[in-house]
Amino acid sequence: MAKIDWYEEFVDFNYKPARDELVCLFYFEPAKGMSKKEAAGRIASESSTGTWTTLHRLPDRMNKLQATAFDMEGSYLKVAYPLGLWEEGNVCQLLSGIAGNIFGMKAVKNLRLVDASLPQKYIKAFRGPHHGTTGIRKIMKVKKRPLTGAVPKPKIGFSAAEHAKVAYETWMGGFDFVKDDENLTSTSFNRFEERVRLMAKTRDKAEKETGETKSAFINITGETELMKKRAKLLNYYGFKYAMIDVVVTGPAAVNTMRNYLADMDMAIHAHRAMHAAFDRNPRHGITMQFIAKIMRLIGVTQIHSGTAVGKLVGSKDEVKAIADTLRKKKVQPKKHLLLKQDWGKIRDAFPVSSGGLHPGLVPDVMKIYGNELVLLVSGGIHGHPKGTRAGAAAVMAAVDAVMSNQTLKEKAKESKELAQALEKWGRMKPK
Ligand code: CAP
Ligand code: MG
C-alpha cells in the first residue's frame, strides 16, 4: 500500500547537526494514541518543509531543507533546521516556522518552545542593541550599582502635570529613571505630548538640583508611524530612551523602531506585557528566555525579566536563564532551560527586575541578579509612609547596603527612610 505520510523521514536519533544549523529545544506531550516518535516527526515536519501527506513530486533540494528531530530525552526534543530554511535578518519568518503551526497540531497535547541555538551565520544579519549595558552606564554616569527606576502609581489616571510631579519626587529621591506604565500611552487626561514636555522640565530641574543624570522610559506604544512620531518628540526633548510594549506591538514593529531610534542614538526599554499569555504555562507556549533572545537579537537595550520574589510568576531558575540570555556573550546550556548561544558581535542587554518589589526585597533581587540590572520599584516607593521621595531614598539605601555588604538592619540605623520602609513591609513577598 502506498505510504500516505512521510513524518518518519524527519526523525533520525543518530543525526549530528551541522555547525551552521539552527537547533530548537521543545518540551512536548504527544496526543493520545500518538507515539513520541510520531509526534516528534510532526513537529520537525510541520516547522520546516513537510505536510500531512506524501506528495506526488518532491524536488531533490527538499531533503536538504527538511528539519531533523535528532535528540529526545523524556519530554524534551531537539530539532535541527538547515540554515537555508531561514531568510537572513527576518525574525518574523523564523517565528512563523519554529513557533507557528506546530502549536496547533492535533498530534501534540502540549508543546513548548524552550530555546533556540542560533548559528553565527544567522545572527550576523541582525544589529542587536544600539546601546549595550556599558553604553547606558556611560550615558547615566552610573558605574557599578543597579540602575533604579519607578512608575508613577496608580498606573494610569494622573494628569500629565501630576505625572511629572511624581516623576520629580522619584528623581529627587535618587532614582535614575521614571517609567510610564505599560497601559499608559496618550489618554484624554494625560496626552503624550504634554507628558513629554512636562517630564523634560521636571527632569532638567531634578538634574540641576541633584547634579545627577536623570532619564525616563516614556511609552510610545502604538501603530508604527505613530511610534516614529512619538520617538522624534522624545528625541527633541533630549530623552535617550523610548519604551515599547514589545509583545503587544510585535517583532516587526520593534525591528523598525530599533533602527529608527538608533538613528537618533536612542535605546529601547522593552515592557513585556502579554508575555504571560504564552510563557507561564510550563507545558505549553513559548518561554520568556526565548522571547528575551529574540528581543536582544532585534536590539532592545533592556527587557523585563521578573523578580522571582515579587508579585508576578517566574522562578529563580527562569529569571537567571533570562538574565544569562540577555547579558552573556557566550551562554552555557542549562538542562531543559537553555541551549548554548554564542552572541558574536551582538551587544548585551539589561534584565529589568520589577513587580511587587519594595526596599525589603532589594537584597533578594540583587542576590539573584547581581548588579547588572535595572531595578524598578514602583508601589514599593509610592506606598512608603513618608511618600515617593522617601521611598526612593529607602531603595537607594537598600542598594547601597547590598553594595557595601551591610544588612538592611544595619543600614536602617543610618537611613530613617529605610527604617520606615522596613517597619511597613519588612521582607514580605507580595502575591
Ligand atoms: C510593576 C509594574 C510592572 C510589572 C510588569 C506593574 O509595578 O509597573 O508593569 O513589573 O511585570 O504595572 O505591575 P509595581 P514584569 O512595582 O508597583 O509592582 O516586570 O514581570 O514584566
Ligand atoms: Mg506596569
Side-chain angles (χ1 to χ4, degrees):
M1 221 254 278
K3 282 202 310 180
I4 57 160
D5 77 51
W6 49 312
Y7 292 116
E8 79 281 352
E9 289 179 32
F10 290 81
V11 183
D12 175 355
F13 293 128
N14 300 315
Y15 181 76
K16 293 271 167 283
R19 237 172 89 83
D20 63 0
E21 284 196 280
L22 191 147
V23 173
C24 283
L25 173 64
F26 293 99
Y27 166 88
F28 77 119
E29 293 171 15
K32 210 157 165 302
M34 181 73 67
S35 77
K36 282 182 145 176
K37 194 172 172 201
E38 287 170 330
R42 284 155 174 75
I43 293 168
S45 160
E46 191 56 48
S47 56
S48 61
T49 59
T51 187
W52 64 276
T53 179
T54 46
L55 302 168
H56 176 62
R57 57 181 287 280
L58 207 55
D60 292 350
R61 176 179 350 104
M62 285 303 172
N63 54 32
K64 290 200 201 64
L65 283 172
Q66 69 186 53
T68 310
F70 67 94
D71 178 284
M72 183 155 75
E73 194 206 312
S75 301
Y76 288 85
L77 177 72
K78 285 182 186 169
V79 178
Y81 297 84
L83 193 62
L85 268 175
W86 311 113
E87 180 189 355
E88 305 80 359
N90 185 344
V91 82
C92 300
Q93 183 246 4
L94 175 70
L95 292 172
S96 300
I98 63 174
N101 291 0
I102 47 175
F103 286 121
M105 293 190 312
K106 289 180 178 166
V108 287
K109 199 164 93 219
N110 281 301
L111 177 68
R112 192 175 203 227
L113 173 56
V114 179
D115 196 10
S117 184
L118 309 174
Q120 294 302 307
K121 283 187 180 164
Y122 183 74
I123 63 168
K124 72 177 190 337
F126 291 88
R127 298 174 68 181
H130 172 64
H131 286 303
T133 58
T134 321
I136 291 301
R137 284 190 173 282
K138 225 158 76 208
I139 290 169
M140 296 307 293
K141 302 191 187 67
V142 174
K143 282 208 173 63
K144 282 205 165 39
R145 65 169 170 77
L147 292 130
T148 52
V151 178
K153 297 280 178 178
K155 59 171 61 187
I156 189 164
F158 284 124
S159 67
E162 289 163 340
H163 185 104
K165 187 146 182 1
V166 174
Y168 174 73
E169 288 302 306
T170 305
W171 280 316
M172 293 309 287
F175 272 20
D176 307 299
F177 300 114
V178 175
K179 168 185 167 294
D180 280 357
D181 234 324
E182 64 281 354
N183 55 342
L184 175 63
T185 50
S186 184
T187 52
S188 56
F189 47 81
N190 190 337
R191 283 289 168 223
F192 179 86
E193 296 73 13
E194 180 66 350
R195 182 162 78 250
V196 173
R197 187 178 64 77
L198 294 175
M199 286 284 279
K201 234 166 110 195
T202 48
R203 172 204 62 199
D204 296 349
K205 187 170 181 307
E207 286 193 330
K208 204 152 141 272
E209 292 167 6
T210 60
E212 295 161 1
T213 303
K214 303 295 183 185
S215 193
F217 312 140
I218 300 179
N219 193 358
I220 64 171
T221 296
E223 182 280 325
T224 309
E225 290 310 315
L226 176 62
M227 288 205 278
K228 287 181 181 175
K229 215 166 119 249
R230 289 177 170 169
K232 254 174 49 199
L233 190 69
L234 289 175
N235 180 48
Y236 175 77
Y237 280 100
F239 287 106
K240 297 302 282 179
Y241 275 90
M243 167 175 159
I244 301 175
D245 295 342
V246 294
V247 177
V248 168
T249 55
V254 177
N255 213 138
T256 302
M257 291 314 297
R258 181 258 173 241
N259 296 333
Y260 190 80
L261 287 157
D263 290 347
M264 298 186 281
D265 198 28
M266 291 173 74
I268 294 178
H269 173 89
H271 197 291
R272 61 174 180 170
M274 194 164 83
H275 70 97
F278 38 74
D279 72 12
R280 76 177 288 179
N281 178 342
R283 297 167 61 189
H284 185 81
I286 302 173
T287 65
M288 183 60 211
Q289 56 266 33
F290 179 75
I291 297 169
K293 172 166 279 186
I294 294 300
M295 290 299 161
R296 175 179 175 183
L297 189 66
I298 295 174
V300 306
T301 286
Q302 54 204 52
I303 185 166
H304 287 237
S305 49
T307 65
V309 293
K311 69 184 184 186
L312 301 157
V313 293
S315 71
K316 209 175 279 185
D317 281 348
E318 282 164 5
V319 165
K320 287 181 169 200
I322 301 164
D324 283 357
T325 300
L326 292 170
R327 295 186 303 205
K328 289 207 182 291
K329 184 165 173 21
K330 289 185 191 276
V331 180
Q332 294 312 312
K334 253 189 200 159
K335 202 168 169 59
H336 302 161
L337 272 172
L338 286 175
L339 292 178
K340 72 176 180 345
Q341 180 64 56
D342 178 343
W343 280 95
K345 294 199 176 56
I346 300 273
R347 289 194 184 92
D348 63 353
F350 270 121
V352 177
S353 188
S354 167
L357 297 180
H358 55 82
L361 289 178
V362 168
D364 305 67
V365 173
M366 288 178 70
K367 192 153 166 256
I368 297 170
Y369 279 100
N371 304 342
E372 281 306 291
L373 87 150
V374 175
L375 180 68
L376 299 183
V377 182
S378 306
I381 67 165
H382 306 304
H384 187 282
K386 298 290 178 201
T388 299
R389 191 181 302 207
V395 170
M396 296 311 284
V399 167
D400 196 29
V402 175
M403 298 293 287
S404 37
N405 277 324
Q406 280 177 294
T407 65
L408 293 187
K409 226 160 145 209
E410 286 159 355
K411 191 69 183 178
K413 292 181 191 123
E414 303 161 31
S415 156
K416 64 178 179 328
E417 295 86 355
L418 180 56
Q420 290 155 346
L422 293 175
E423 211 180 308
K424 174 166 184 179
W425 293 300
R427 310 292 296 267
M428 60 88 71
K429 298 190 168 94
K431 275 246 180 320

